[in-house]
Amino acid sequence: RWYPSYICKQSCVMQDTLNTVSAGPSNTVRRVEEGELLEVLDGPQEDKEASLLRIKAKARKDQAVGWITVKGNQGTVFLTQWSRKDEEQLKQKQRSLQEGLGKDA
């Protein structure tokens, strides 16, 4: 099952092309860091030459757009689903941390 939002679990590369085999350094948009949230725009699609499933996504951090590998051909998981429930839990955790810092001031 595919989801509209993902979170990066391991740093990976965002590229401007689906095909990773023919992509070179000039095709790199930027690195996606662990913890970044991504909105799916297209996919998943298979990069047949590299046997990878990739999605085209927009990073919430800076609106960068490109193709990212969901799971590598060696089994490495780069992206996992992100839901509204996860978003609410993160916001609640951040509020609790901010309230805790306020008490120390």
Side-chain angles (χ1 to χ4, degrees):
R1 183 166 178 211
W2 295 98
Y3 299 87
S5 297
Y6 282 80
I7 187 167
C8 181
K9 290 295 184 181
Q10 183 171 326
S11 181
C12 55
V13 177
M14 177 184 283
Q15 298 174 306
D16 65 4
T17 181
L18 171 65
N19 188 326
T20 58
V21 174
S22 63
S26 63
N27 295 103
T28 298
V29 175
R30 70 170 180 80
R31 283 203 79 70
V32 177
E33 299 301 330
E34 184 177 332
E36 278 195 61
L37 297 176
L38 305 156
E39 175 188 337
V40 177
L41 302 175
D42 191 9
Q45 289 190 30
E46 184 180 4
D47 174 351
K48 292 180 182 177
E49 289 181 47
S51 299
L52 300 170
L53 276 178
R54 292 169 52 88
I55 59 167
K56 187 172 188 178
K58 177 170 64 173
R60 282 198 192 171
K61 174 177 152 179
D62 61 2
Q63 309 303 303
V65 173
W67 289 93
I68 308 166
T69 301
V70 175
K71 184 176 179 182
N73 54 16
Q74 301 294 314
T76 304
V77 176
F78 295 106
L79 308 176
T80 59
Q81 73 183 47
W82 182 254
S83 68
R84 287 182 192 258
K85 182 180 175 185
D86 295 323
E87 185 97 30
E88 287 305 314
Q89 288 174 345
L90 178 63
K91 286 179 183 178
Q92 185 174 6
K93 187 175 181 179
Q94 289 172 335
R95 279 193 296 270
S96 295
L97 289 171
Q98 288 174 346
E99 288 171 5
L101 291 173
K103 290 178 185 175
D104 294 338

